[in-house]
Amino acid sequence: SRLLIGHVRKKSRVWKSRLSLYIQPSLGSCSVIMSTRRHSAHQSTGQSPQTKRKKRNGLLERLAEGPVVSDGSYCFVLERRGYVKSGYWTPEAVLEHSHAVTGLHKEFARAGADVTQAFTFAGSEDKLAAHGNTAAADFGVDNINSEACRLAWEIADQYGTLVAAGLSPTPSYREGKGKAAVQREFRAQTNIFAKHDVDFMIVEFFGHLEEMLWAIEVCRDMRKPIAASMCIGPEGDYDNNTPGECAVAMARAGADVVGVNCLFDPSTSLKTMAIMKEALSKAGLKTYLMCQPIAYHTPDVNKFGLAESPEFPFALEPRLLTRWDMHNFAREAYELGVRYIGGCCGMESYHIRAIAEELAPERGGHLGEASQKHGLWGDTLKGSTLPNVAIRYGKAYWSKPPATGRPFSSSYSTPLVCPK
């Protein structure tokens, strides 16, 4: 094992290293993870944003060739693993627990994802300081977003994935501070993303079309492809704009890819995508479509999606999608015309692997490393020494609806009223 001890120097100042020890029993070794801290501010370290890389096909070129598989959930997965604080859902883990973020990036890349999204969700300065959150003061918006990009590039350089950085809704918009204030929050992040030369921008989880358009406007200054997705269902956004109106407006504002992410399950999300597709066609707009639903069944929610569920966010496991649900979603999405396909909250690497495996024929047979340990439709179970398990392979078997094992639970719950 390697022991990393020392000081990290920044110009003429010495920044003391804070060491945290963790054990890897399977490797019989111990590793030391260092994060740098001076008083209450972390500093991003590592590879320079100006690092030269080999030229490769970008997002739009890859979409023209076939479906692009995105990665999955960061906030929810890292919260369950003990690295993100629920309620805030902010990304300071990139500095506090960088090994956890890098590990998740790697899981998605091995699963077959074409994209490594920097963990910048909820990374605006006002969000990092909202409702008593001390992340802005403790770490700083520049350090968090810069380190998020560096960690993403670390994995992208290994696996050839595209690096995306993202903007998300701001407290400044909800507080009515106006366009200039909101866009200042966005630019504080995009200035960092530009320095790290991310491959494209994702503008996601917006419930208000107006704020989405403000975000797209800022991203256009980066001269990078823009993928824009709203957290809406078939009823439209929080200001009663229909999904079709939202899609057309995003495309006309400059988004290269439009669609939905989060709050709704695959079935509901694809209904929304069908509405968007029809509206774009009627408007004569040829824009790529994207869909990144959550990993939970939500047939019983209303306009505000998963947040209305009484089980949100700590008792959602009974609603969890299986890997076979993801096979079906990927196929249905592709047949609808969606070409950027992935997952949002709750989506683990095995969900992303299922998407990649289902779409392997459309991706030139490409599979991620993780598929070496996973036979298609349970094919590896043929090698089980248990006769009753060895017969459980094939699409016919795994297409059956699974039992929940909860005899006293209800199939549906009563949605809670969610304020705007």
mmCIF file of all heavy atoms in Angstrom, residues 21-61:
data_model
loop_
_atom_site.group_PDB
_atom_site.id
_atom_site.type_symbol
_atom_site.label_atom_id
_atom_site.label_comp_id
_atom_site.label_asym_id
_atom_site.label_seq_id
_atom_site.Cartn_x
_atom_site.Cartn_y
_atom_site.Cartn_z
ATOM 1 N N LEU A 21 -8.306 7.813 7.126
ATOM 2 C CA LEU A 21 -7.850 6.463 6.858
ATOM 3 C C LEU A 21 -9.017 5.549 6.591
ATOM 4 O O LEU A 21 -9.999 5.570 7.313
ATOM 5 C CB LEU A 21 -7.061 5.952 8.069
ATOM 6 C CG LEU A 21 -6.378 4.581 7.937
ATOM 7 C CD1 LEU A 21 -5.239 4.678 6.937
ATOM 8 C CD2 LEU A 21 -5.842 4.143 9.297
ATOM 9 N N TYR A 22 -8.905 4.732 5.551
ATOM 10 C CA TYR A 22 -9.915 3.719 5.332
ATOM 11 C C TYR A 22 -9.241 2.423 4.915
ATOM 12 O O TYR A 22 -8.178 2.415 4.319
ATOM 13 C CB TYR A 22 -10.959 4.156 4.296
ATOM 14 C CG TYR A 22 -10.522 4.108 2.871
ATOM 15 C CD1 TYR A 22 -10.903 3.067 2.039
ATOM 16 C CD2 TYR A 22 -9.728 5.136 2.346
ATOM 17 C CE1 TYR A 22 -10.495 3.039 0.728
ATOM 18 C CE2 TYR A 22 -9.334 5.100 1.039
ATOM 19 C CZ TYR A 22 -9.716 4.063 0.231
ATOM 20 O OH TYR A 22 -9.323 4.031 -1.072
ATOM 21 N N ILE A 23 -9.846 1.308 5.282
ATOM 22 C CA ILE A 23 -9.263 0.004 5.058
ATOM 23 C C ILE A 23 -9.968 -0.700 3.908
ATOM 24 O O ILE A 23 -11.177 -0.625 3.771
ATOM 25 C CB ILE A 23 -9.367 -0.859 6.339
ATOM 26 C CG1 ILE A 23 -8.758 -0.094 7.519
ATOM 27 C CG2 ILE A 23 -8.671 -2.202 6.151
ATOM 28 C CD1 ILE A 23 -7.291 0.207 7.389
ATOM 29 N N GLN A 24 -9.211 -1.392 3.078
ATOM 30 C CA GLN A 24 -9.747 -2.195 1.996
ATOM 31 C C GLN A 24 -9.439 -3.655 2.309
ATOM 32 O O GLN A 24 -8.408 -4.182 1.910
ATOM 33 C CB GLN A 24 -9.104 -1.800 0.661
ATOM 34 C CG GLN A 24 -9.453 -0.377 0.231
ATOM 35 C CD GLN A 24 -8.728 -0.012 -1.033
ATOM 36 O OE1 GLN A 24 -7.514 -0.022 -1.095
ATOM 37 N NE2 GLN A 24 -9.482 0.305 -2.058
ATOM 38 N N PRO A 25 -10.335 -4.326 3.034
ATOM 39 C CA PRO A 25 -10.053 -5.698 3.452
ATOM 40 C C PRO A 25 -9.787 -6.636 2.286
ATOM 41 O O PRO A 25 -8.954 -7.521 2.374
ATOM 42 C CB PRO A 25 -11.319 -6.104 4.213
ATOM 43 C CG PRO A 25 -11.973 -4.814 4.590
ATOM 44 C CD PRO A 25 -11.626 -3.865 3.500
ATOM 45 N N SER A 26 -10.529 -6.468 1.195
ATOM 46 C CA SER A 26 -10.393 -7.398 0.081
ATOM 47 C C SER A 26 -9.009 -7.340 -0.547
ATOM 48 O O SER A 26 -8.548 -8.287 -1.159
ATOM 49 C CB SER A 26 -11.449 -7.108 -0.985
ATOM 50 O OG SER A 26 -11.276 -5.813 -1.516
ATOM 51 N N LEU A 27 -8.340 -6.188 -0.391
ATOM 52 C CA LEU A 27 -7.016 -6.040 -0.968
ATOM 53 C C LEU A 27 -5.919 -6.263 0.064
ATOM 54 O O LEU A 27 -4.741 -6.268 -0.249
ATOM 55 C CB LEU A 27 -6.858 -4.635 -1.581
ATOM 56 C CG LEU A 27 -7.834 -4.293 -2.697
ATOM 57 C CD1 LEU A 27 -7.574 -2.868 -3.159
ATOM 58 C CD2 LEU A 27 -7.689 -5.260 -3.853
ATOM 59 N N GLY A 28 -6.336 -6.399 1.323
ATOM 60 C CA GLY A 28 -5.373 -6.581 2.373
ATOM 61 C C GLY A 28 -4.467 -5.387 2.533
ATOM 62 O O GLY A 28 -3.294 -5.501 2.894
ATOM 63 N N SER A 29 -4.969 -4.219 2.252
ATOM 64 C CA SER A 29 -4.131 -3.032 2.322
ATOM 65 C C SER A 29 -4.889 -1.890 2.944
ATOM 66 O O SER A 29 -6.088 -1.938 3.099
ATOM 67 C CB SER A 29 -3.670 -2.631 0.912
ATOM 68 O OG SER A 29 -4.784 -2.259 0.124
ATOM 69 N N CYS A 30 -4.162 -0.881 3.300
ATOM 70 C CA CYS A 30 -4.821 0.319 3.780
ATOM 71 C C CYS A 30 -4.372 1.480 2.935
ATOM 72 O O CYS A 30 -3.247 1.514 2.476
ATOM 73 C CB CYS A 30 -4.548 0.562 5.269
ATOM 74 S SG CYS A 30 -3.065 1.492 5.612
ATOM 75 N N SER A 31 -5.294 2.391 2.668
ATOM 76 C CA SER A 31 -4.982 3.550 1.852
ATOM 77 C C SER A 31 -5.277 4.807 2.632
ATOM 78 O O SER A 31 -6.152 4.827 3.485
ATOM 79 C CB SER A 31 -5.832 3.546 0.560
ATOM 80 O OG SER A 31 -5.599 2.370 -0.171
ATOM 81 N N VAL A 32 -4.558 5.825 2.347
ATOM 82 C CA VAL A 32 -4.785 7.104 3.006
ATOM 83 C C VAL A 32 -5.286 8.091 1.973
ATOM 84 O O VAL A 32 -4.681 8.268 0.929
ATOM 85 C CB VAL A 32 -3.491 7.634 3.641
ATOM 86 C CG1 VAL A 32 -3.718 9.013 4.220
ATOM 87 C CG2 VAL A 32 -3.040 6.681 4.745
ATOM 88 N N ILE A 33 -6.432 8.678 2.260
ATOM 89 C CA ILE A 33 -7.014 9.665 1.363
ATOM 90 C C ILE A 33 -6.716 11.043 1.932
ATOM 91 O O ILE A 33 -7.001 11.313 3.094
ATOM 92 C CB ILE A 33 -8.530 9.480 1.252
ATOM 93 C CG1 ILE A 33 -8.843 8.090 0.723
ATOM 94 C CG2 ILE A 33 -9.144 10.526 0.334
ATOM 95 C CD1 ILE A 33 -8.241 7.786 -0.612
ATOM 96 N N MET A 34 -6.145 11.908 1.118
ATOM 97 C CA MET A 34 -5.830 13.249 1.575
ATOM 98 C C MET A 34 -6.785 14.259 0.985
ATOM 99 O O MET A 34 -7.086 14.211 -0.189
ATOM 100 C CB MET A 34 -4.409 13.640 1.137
ATOM 101 C CG MET A 34 -3.308 13.064 1.981
ATOM 102 S SD MET A 34 -1.808 14.028 1.772
ATOM 103 C CE MET A 34 -1.659 14.108 0.022
ATOM 104 N N SER A 35 -7.265 15.151 1.801
ATOM 105 C CA SER A 35 -7.960 16.327 1.293
ATOM 106 C C SER A 35 -7.278 17.523 1.924
ATOM 107 O O SER A 35 -6.848 17.476 3.068
ATOM 108 C CB SER A 35 -9.449 16.296 1.650
ATOM 109 O OG SER A 35 -9.622 16.313 3.034
ATOM 110 N N THR A 36 -7.135 18.582 1.153
ATOM 111 C CA THR A 36 -6.414 19.739 1.654
ATOM 112 C C THR A 36 -7.366 20.733 2.249
ATOM 113 O O THR A 36 -8.448 20.979 1.738
ATOM 114 C CB THR A 36 -5.628 20.413 0.514
ATOM 115 O OG1 THR A 36 -6.554 20.859 -0.463
ATOM 116 C CG2 THR A 36 -4.660 19.430 -0.124
ATOM 117 N N ARG A 37 -6.926 21.356 3.358
ATOM 118 C CA ARG A 37 -7.788 22.315 4.013
ATOM 119 C C ARG A 37 -6.961 23.396 4.691
ATOM 120 O O ARG A 37 -5.991 23.108 5.373
ATOM 121 C CB ARG A 37 -8.662 21.611 5.052
ATOM 122 C CG ARG A 37 -9.769 22.515 5.582
ATOM 123 C CD ARG A 37 -10.799 21.716 6.316
ATOM 124 N NE ARG A 37 -11.985 22.513 6.558
ATOM 125 C CZ ARG A 37 -13.113 22.036 7.013
ATOM 126 N NH1 ARG A 37 -13.239 20.765 7.265
ATOM 127 N NH2 ARG A 37 -14.155 22.821 7.203
ATOM 128 N N ARG A 38 -7.323 24.584 4.505
ATOM 129 C CA ARG A 38 -6.709 25.700 5.211
ATOM 130 C C ARG A 38 -7.852 26.475 5.843
ATOM 131 O O ARG A 38 -8.679 27.048 5.166
ATOM 132 C CB ARG A 38 -5.925 26.589 4.259
ATOM 133 C CG ARG A 38 -5.236 27.765 4.958
ATOM 134 C CD ARG A 38 -4.427 28.564 3.941
ATOM 135 N NE ARG A 38 -3.655 29.609 4.586
ATOM 136 C CZ ARG A 38 -4.108 30.839 4.775
ATOM 137 N NH1 ARG A 38 -5.317 31.159 4.404
ATOM 138 N NH2 ARG A 38 -3.346 31.744 5.355
ATOM 139 N N HIS A 39 -7.868 26.507 7.140
ATOM 140 C CA HIS A 39 -8.988 27.070 7.869
ATOM 141 C C HIS A 39 -10.256 26.355 7.427
ATOM 142 O O HIS A 39 -10.410 25.179 7.628
ATOM 143 C CB HIS A 39 -9.066 28.590 7.662
ATOM 144 C CG HIS A 39 -7.837 29.302 8.124
ATOM 145 N ND1 HIS A 39 -7.361 29.206 9.406
ATOM 146 C CD2 HIS A 39 -6.965 30.091 7.450
ATOM 147 C CE1 HIS A 39 -6.260 29.926 9.538
ATOM 148 N NE2 HIS A 39 -5.994 30.461 8.367
ATOM 149 N N SER A 40 -11.170 27.051 6.726
ATOM 150 C CA SER A 40 -12.436 26.422 6.351
ATOM 151 C C SER A 40 -12.595 26.310 4.848
ATOM 152 O O SER A 40 -13.683 26.114 4.353
ATOM 153 C CB SER A 40 -13.606 27.240 6.912
ATOM 154 O OG SER A 40 -13.586 28.544 6.383
ATOM 155 N N ALA A 41 -11.507 26.445 4.093
ATOM 156 C CA ALA A 41 -11.626 26.404 2.632
ATOM 157 C C ALA A 41 -10.808 25.263 2.055
ATOM 158 O O ALA A 41 -9.648 25.096 2.380
ATOM 159 C CB ALA A 41 -11.150 27.733 2.023
ATOM 160 N N HIS A 42 -11.435 24.458 1.182
ATOM 161 C CA HIS A 42 -10.731 23.407 0.468
ATOM 162 C C HIS A 42 -10.204 23.975 -0.840
ATOM 163 O O HIS A 42 -10.766 24.907 -1.405
ATOM 164 C CB HIS A 42 -11.674 22.238 0.157
ATOM 165 C CG HIS A 42 -11.846 21.296 1.297
ATOM 166 N ND1 HIS A 42 -12.434 21.666 2.475
ATOM 167 C CD2 HIS A 42 -11.482 19.994 1.430
ATOM 168 C CE1 HIS A 42 -12.459 20.625 3.288
ATOM 169 N NE2 HIS A 42 -11.899 19.600 2.678
ATOM 170 N N GLN A 43 -9.145 23.383 -1.324
ATOM 171 C CA GLN A 43 -8.582 23.797 -2.601
ATOM 172 C C GLN A 43 -8.535 22.611 -3.537
ATOM 173 O O GLN A 43 -8.041 21.543 -3.170
ATOM 174 C CB GLN A 43 -7.155 24.349 -2.395
ATOM 175 C CG GLN A 43 -6.413 24.664 -3.678
ATOM 176 C CD GLN A 43 -6.990 25.848 -4.396
ATOM 177 O OE1 GLN A 43 -7.620 26.694 -3.788
ATOM 178 N NE2 GLN A 43 -6.802 25.908 -5.696
ATOM 179 N N SER A 44 -9.046 22.784 -4.745
ATOM 180 C CA SER A 44 -8.960 21.717 -5.739
ATOM 181 C C SER A 44 -7.509 21.484 -6.116
ATOM 182 O O SER A 44 -6.719 22.420 -6.228
ATOM 183 C CB SER A 44 -9.769 22.090 -6.980
ATOM 184 O OG SER A 44 -9.587 21.145 -7.987
ATOM 185 N N THR A 45 -7.142 20.215 -6.291
ATOM 186 C CA THR A 45 -5.772 19.880 -6.659
ATOM 187 C C THR A 45 -5.778 18.997 -7.886
ATOM 188 O O THR A 45 -6.809 18.528 -8.343
ATOM 189 C CB THR A 45 -5.072 19.116 -5.519
ATOM 190 O OG1 THR A 45 -5.783 17.897 -5.306
ATOM 191 C CG2 THR A 45 -5.058 19.928 -4.246
ATOM 192 N N GLY A 46 -4.613 18.706 -8.395
ATOM 193 C CA GLY A 46 -4.517 17.721 -9.467
ATOM 194 C C GLY A 46 -4.263 18.330 -10.823
ATOM 195 O O GLY A 46 -3.695 19.403 -10.960
ATOM 196 N N GLN A 47 -4.721 17.647 -11.857
ATOM 197 C CA GLN A 47 -4.398 17.964 -13.232
ATOM 198 C C GLN A 47 -4.886 19.349 -13.627
ATOM 199 O O GLN A 47 -5.966 19.783 -13.249
ATOM 200 C CB GLN A 47 -5.039 16.915 -14.130
ATOM 201 C CG GLN A 47 -4.378 16.764 -15.475
ATOM 202 C CD GLN A 47 -4.902 15.547 -16.190
ATOM 203 O OE1 GLN A 47 -6.094 15.305 -16.218
ATOM 204 N NE2 GLN A 47 -4.010 14.778 -16.778
ATOM 205 N N SER A 48 -4.082 20.023 -14.404
ATOM 206 C CA SER A 48 -4.412 21.366 -14.860
ATOM 207 C C SER A 48 -5.590 21.345 -15.817
ATOM 208 O O SER A 48 -5.726 20.430 -16.628
ATOM 209 C CB SER A 48 -3.198 21.985 -15.560
ATOM 210 O OG SER A 48 -3.559 23.140 -16.273
ATOM 211 N N PRO A 49 -6.453 22.391 -15.737
ATOM 212 C CA PRO A 49 -7.568 22.468 -16.691
ATOM 213 C C PRO A 49 -7.089 22.532 -18.139
ATOM 214 O O PRO A 49 -7.832 22.221 -19.057
ATOM 215 C CB PRO A 49 -8.278 23.760 -16.287
ATOM 216 C CG PRO A 49 -7.913 23.963 -14.857
ATOM 217 C CD PRO A 49 -6.502 23.451 -14.736
ATOM 218 N N GLN A 50 -5.846 22.956 -18.356
ATOM 219 C CA GLN A 50 -5.343 23.101 -19.722
ATOM 220 C C GLN A 50 -4.698 21.831 -20.264
ATOM 221 O O GLN A 50 -4.060 21.850 -21.311
ATOM 222 C CB GLN A 50 -4.311 24.239 -19.779
ATOM 223 C CG GLN A 50 -4.921 25.637 -19.666
ATOM 224 C CD GLN A 50 -5.315 25.981 -18.252
ATOM 225 O OE1 GLN A 50 -4.646 25.580 -17.307
ATOM 226 N NE2 GLN A 50 -6.388 26.741 -18.090
ATOM 227 N N THR A 51 -4.840 20.711 -19.576
ATOM 228 C CA THR A 51 -4.237 19.463 -20.027
ATOM 229 C C THR A 51 -4.683 19.127 -21.455
ATOM 230 O O THR A 51 -5.866 19.148 -21.767
ATOM 231 C CB THR A 51 -4.630 18.306 -19.091
ATOM 232 O OG1 THR A 51 -4.150 18.594 -17.778
ATOM 233 C CG2 THR A 51 -4.020 17.005 -19.563
ATOM 234 N N LYS A 52 -3.721 18.803 -22.305
ATOM 235 C CA LYS A 52 -4.049 18.472 -23.686
ATOM 236 C C LYS A 52 -4.498 17.018 -23.782
ATOM 237 O O LYS A 52 -3.885 16.127 -23.214
ATOM 238 C CB LYS A 52 -2.830 18.700 -24.583
ATOM 239 C CG LYS A 52 -2.452 20.173 -24.737
ATOM 240 C CD LYS A 52 -1.302 20.334 -25.697
ATOM 241 C CE LYS A 52 -0.946 21.813 -25.882
ATOM 242 N NZ LYS A 52 0.183 22.003 -26.815
ATOM 243 N N ARG A 53 -5.564 16.794 -24.525
ATOM 244 C CA ARG A 53 -6.111 15.449 -24.679
ATOM 245 C C ARG A 53 -6.300 15.145 -26.162
ATOM 246 O O ARG A 53 -6.457 16.038 -26.984
ATOM 247 C CB ARG A 53 -7.445 15.327 -23.937
ATOM 248 C CG ARG A 53 -7.310 15.494 -22.437
ATOM 249 C CD ARG A 53 -8.638 15.375 -21.723
ATOM 250 N NE ARG A 53 -8.436 15.315 -20.284
ATOM 251 C CZ ARG A 53 -8.394 16.381 -19.491
ATOM 252 N NH1 ARG A 53 -8.556 17.583 -19.999
ATOM 253 N NH2 ARG A 53 -8.194 16.231 -18.196
ATOM 254 N N LYS A 54 -6.312 13.855 -26.463
ATOM 255 C CA LYS A 54 -6.536 13.448 -27.834
ATOM 256 C C LYS A 54 -7.936 13.835 -28.282
ATOM 257 O O LYS A 54 -8.890 13.730 -27.520
ATOM 258 C CB LYS A 54 -6.362 11.929 -27.964
ATOM 259 C CG LYS A 54 -4.942 11.439 -27.708
ATOM 260 C CD LYS A 54 -4.862 9.928 -27.871
ATOM 261 C CE LYS A 54 -3.455 9.424 -27.611
ATOM 262 N NZ LYS A 54 -3.369 7.946 -27.744
ATOM 263 N N LYS A 55 -8.049 14.256 -29.533
ATOM 264 C CA LYS A 55 -9.355 14.640 -30.053
ATOM 265 C C LYS A 55 -10.212 13.398 -30.247
ATOM 266 O O LYS A 55 -9.742 12.371 -30.721
ATOM 267 C CB LYS A 55 -9.199 15.392 -31.374
ATOM 268 C CG LYS A 55 -10.519 15.904 -31.938
ATOM 269 C CD LYS A 55 -10.310 16.851 -33.076
ATOM 270 C CE LYS A 55 -11.627 17.336 -33.664
ATOM 271 N NZ LYS A 55 -12.453 18.037 -32.682
ATOM 272 N N ARG A 56 -11.467 13.501 -29.865
ATOM 273 C CA ARG A 56 -12.400 12.380 -30.034
ATOM 274 C C ARG A 56 -13.758 12.939 -30.397
ATOM 275 O O ARG A 56 -13.990 14.143 -30.288
ATOM 276 C CB ARG A 56 -12.482 11.560 -28.746
ATOM 277 C CG ARG A 56 -12.958 12.346 -27.545
ATOM 278 C CD ARG A 56 -12.028 12.127 -26.349
ATOM 279 N NE ARG A 56 -12.303 13.151 -25.341
ATOM 280 C CZ ARG A 56 -13.180 13.016 -24.384
ATOM 281 N NH1 ARG A 56 -13.867 11.908 -24.257
ATOM 282 N NH2 ARG A 56 -13.391 13.987 -23.519
ATOM 283 N N ASN A 57 -14.648 12.101 -30.828
ATOM 284 C CA ASN A 57 -15.976 12.554 -31.214
ATOM 285 C C ASN A 57 -16.704 13.148 -30.013
ATOM 286 O O ASN A 57 -16.672 12.591 -28.912
ATOM 287 C CB ASN A 57 -16.794 11.396 -31.774
ATOM 288 C CG ASN A 57 -16.370 11.037 -33.178
ATOM 289 O OD1 ASN A 57 -15.652 11.790 -33.836
ATOM 290 N ND2 ASN A 57 -16.806 9.888 -33.652
ATOM 291 N N GLY A 58 -17.364 14.267 -30.249
ATOM 292 C CA GLY A 58 -18.118 14.924 -29.201
ATOM 293 C C GLY A 58 -19.533 14.387 -29.104
ATOM 294 O O GLY A 58 -19.897 13.401 -29.764
ATOM 295 N N LEU A 59 -20.345 15.049 -28.307
ATOM 296 C CA LEU A 59 -21.705 14.567 -28.055
ATOM 297 C C LEU A 59 -22.521 14.487 -29.334
ATOM 298 O O LEU A 59 -23.170 13.462 -29.607
ATOM 299 C CB LEU A 59 -22.407 15.488 -27.050
ATOM 300 C CG LEU A 59 -23.883 15.153 -26.785
ATOM 301 C CD1 LEU A 59 -24.024 13.798 -26.119
ATOM 302 C CD2 LEU A 59 -24.538 16.246 -25.934
ATOM 303 N N LEU A 60 -22.533 15.536 -30.119
ATOM 304 C CA LEU A 60 -23.397 15.558 -31.294
ATOM 305 C C LEU A 60 -22.950 14.539 -32.334
ATOM 306 O O LEU A 60 -23.788 13.921 -33.006
ATOM 307 C CB LEU A 60 -23.433 16.964 -31.894
ATOM 308 C CG LEU A 60 -23.960 18.059 -30.948
ATOM 309 C CD1 LEU A 60 -24.016 19.402 -31.660
ATOM 310 C CD2 LEU A 60 -25.336 17.687 -30.400
ATOM 311 N N GLU A 61 -21.642 14.342 -32.464
ATOM 312 C CA GLU A 61 -21.139 13.331 -33.392
ATOM 313 C C GLU A 61 -21.554 11.928 -32.938
ATOM 314 O O GLU A 61 -21.938 11.078 -33.745
ATOM 315 C CB GLU A 61 -19.617 13.414 -33.496
ATOM 316 C CG GLU A 61 -19.080 14.645 -34.205
ATOM 317 C CD GLU A 61 -19.023 15.880 -33.315
ATOM 318 O OE1 GLU A 61 -19.304 15.755 -32.097
ATOM 319 O OE2 GLU A 61 -18.703 16.963 -33.831
#
